[in-house]
Amino acid sequence: MLLLVVIYAAFIGLGLPDTVLGAAWPLMQLDLNAPLSAAGFLSIIVSIGTIISSLWTPTLLRLMGTGKLVFVSIALTAVASFGYGFSTAFWMMCLFAIPMGIGAGAIDVSLNNFAAIHLESKHTSWLHASWGVGACLGPALFSLSVFTGVGWRGAYDMVALLLLIIAVMTLVTFPVWKKMERQGISNQVAAPKEISLRDALRVPGMKLSFWVFFFYSSLEISTSLWCGTYLVARGFEPEIGALAVSLMFASVMVGRILSGFFAIKFTDMRLVHAGIFIVVLGCFVLVLPLPLWFTPVCICLLGLGCAPVYPSLIHATPARFGEELSGRAISIQMAGSYVGSVLMPPTFGIVASKLSVIVWPVALALFVGCLLLCVFLLDYVTRKKWKNAFAAERIRDVLHQVEAMAELRRKLRKERRRERRKNKLKQARIKRKLDRH
């Protein structure tokens, strides 16, 4: 239970720095005397560091173990956040953006791999919802720091302090991390293979897995980045467009909480297919000649559809590629996700500047169509492995239920024997009393 709390806190911490930059940049730009477009350059540095880190994480996991790597990575992001707060020039922020990206990538891959192997599917969905909590908390901390008079630097100091607290919690739970990983080995969970990136990409389905996450992140990030602009182009007020962005993130967070409950009953791939179907429905309704107020509803629908896809795909990774390759597979998936989120939204921006932002639903349809095709191909290529893994999981569930029922029968037999003994003793006492009289 304690380890689960730490993992949830780590996911909240992972989301904290991600949204502070966007909220604080208008003040940061003036204070650092940087151009408006410099925020994009800073974001690119973080993303490149995250991609490189995610690809190196499987090697670091074998050398350090999950607990130590999570501790070092969270400490690294805390140092980077303190560095942001102390920076007096933009070049200093660029330097601290490197450890920020490296730490975020290592946390993302290591925690997702640990959750996919050791935790149930419902926890994977709820963990990604926790990231949304952190993402919502970041701008709130910025608002609090500005309100109290400490400015944008105070926001990064508070983020760094929270990350240090989470790092200490991780340090305290080192024995629990090791115990969980030892239990996995004792339960015949294979140790991670020493496999290079080139060899991993030759595994059937591995490249497809990269493209699945590439198109998913292209879909989600493009929706969050351009839906507000699209609404304004359709005739809404700018504040309605901003509200739609918040509603989209809220829909993703609520959808992941709900999908955690659905994961108790349904398999990962059913949740993935259901989520993509909802996204397709949202895209279809978006292009219909319906009243204008339907458009924000469609954007919420897109958020709800995106919600179960990412965590369910992550949780299905050990079943697709085997637990010994899941670390490497998840690192490739995270790389695909970050590459898609960095490349495709700006690419659509270039297209929109040449044509119009009104073509945004067409871009969404293209992304979701490619995502659906890649998911079906991935299911086909890895169908034997994940069906066998699913069957083995169901067998374990049945055996667990049989064992639980047997334990219940043993308890009932003990209670019946205890009750019979009590009745015999009671009858014996009554008989002795009658004999005396």
Side-chain angles (χ1 to χ4, degrees), residues 36 69 95 117 135 142 145 148 190 198 200 206 219 221 226 281 287-288 291 306 308 318 333 343 356 369 381 412:
L36 184 65
L69 182 57
L95 287 180
I117 293 176
F142 166 72
S145 66
T148 54
R198 182 179 297 179
M206 198 70 79
L219 172 68
I221 303 303
W226 293 108
L281 181 63
V287 298
L288 291 177
C306 287
Q333 292 168 353
L343 291 183
S356 170
V381 171
L412 289 173

Side-chain angles (χ1 to χ4, degrees), residues 126-380:
W126 292 336
L127 285 170
H128 285 273
S130 299
W131 178 91
V133 173
C136 294
L137 188 59
L141 291 176
F142 166 72
S143 300
L144 178 63
S145 66
V146 172
F147 181 75
T148 54
V150 292
W152 63 269
R153 298 179 187 278
Y156 277 109
D157 290 342
M158 285 189 284
V159 168
L161 183 61
L162 290 172
L163 288 171
L164 282 177
I165 293 171
I166 297 170
V168 171
M169 292 169 63
T170 308
L171 182 65
V172 171
T173 54
F174 269 1
V176 189
W177 290 93
K178 292 178 181 178
K179 182 181 178 182
M180 285 284 289
E181 290 176 330
R182 280 198 301 267
Q183 282 179 351
I185 295 173
S186 65
N187 290 332
Q188 297 181 344
V189 173
K193 282 184 179 179
E194 184 70 40
I195 184 171
S196 66
L197 178 61
R198 182 179 297 179
D199 291 335
L201 290 174
R202 291 175 183 153
V203 175
M206 198 70 79
K207 292 178 183 176
L208 278 170
S209 187
F210 174 92
W211 288 112
V212 165
F213 279 78
F214 177 91
F215 287 116
Y216 171 79
S217 289
S218 300
L219 172 68
E220 182 183 326
I221 303 303
S222 295
T223 302
S224 64
L225 184 61
W226 293 108
C227 66
T229 308
Y230 175 77
L231 287 177
V232 172
R234 288 289 304 273
F236 286 92
E237 295 295 328
E239 56 268 24
I240 301 298
L243 178 62
V245 178
S246 299
L247 287 175
M248 185 265 174
F249 277 113
S251 299
V252 172
M253 188 165 61
V254 171
R256 284 178 177 166
I257 294 171
L258 293 175
S259 65
F261 291 103
F262 284 116
I264 299 171
K265 185 72 175 177
F266 300 103
T267 63
D268 291 323
M269 293 319 300
R270 284 189 179 180
L271 292 175
V272 170
H273 297 154
I276 295 176
F277 172 77
I278 295 173
V279 173
V280 170
L281 181 63
C283 291
F284 179 72
V285 176
L286 201 60
V287 298
L288 291 177
L290 297 172
L292 202 58
W293 62 268
F294 265 92
T295 309
V297 176
C298 291
I299 290 172
C300 291
L301 205 60
L302 292 174
L304 283 173
C306 287
V309 177
Y310 191 94
S312 298
L313 285 170
I314 289 287
H315 191 265
T317 300
R320 289 189 188 279
F321 301 105
E323 292 174 352
E324 68 277 7
L325 286 178
S326 67
R328 175 60 71 185
I330 289 175
S331 73
I332 291 172
Q333 292 168 353
M334 294 296 102
S337 176
Y338 293 126
V339 171
S341 63
V342 168
L343 291 183
M344 299 314 291
T347 301
F348 173 74
I350 296 172
V351 173
S353 65
K354 300 295 182 183
L355 300 174
S356 170
V357 76
I358 297 297
V359 300
W360 175 64
V362 178
L364 286 187
L366 179 64
F367 292 149
V368 74
C370 293
L371 172 63
L372 189 60
L373 177 62
C374 290
V375 166
F376 281 153
L377 289 174
L378 183 61
D379 287 349
Y380 178 77

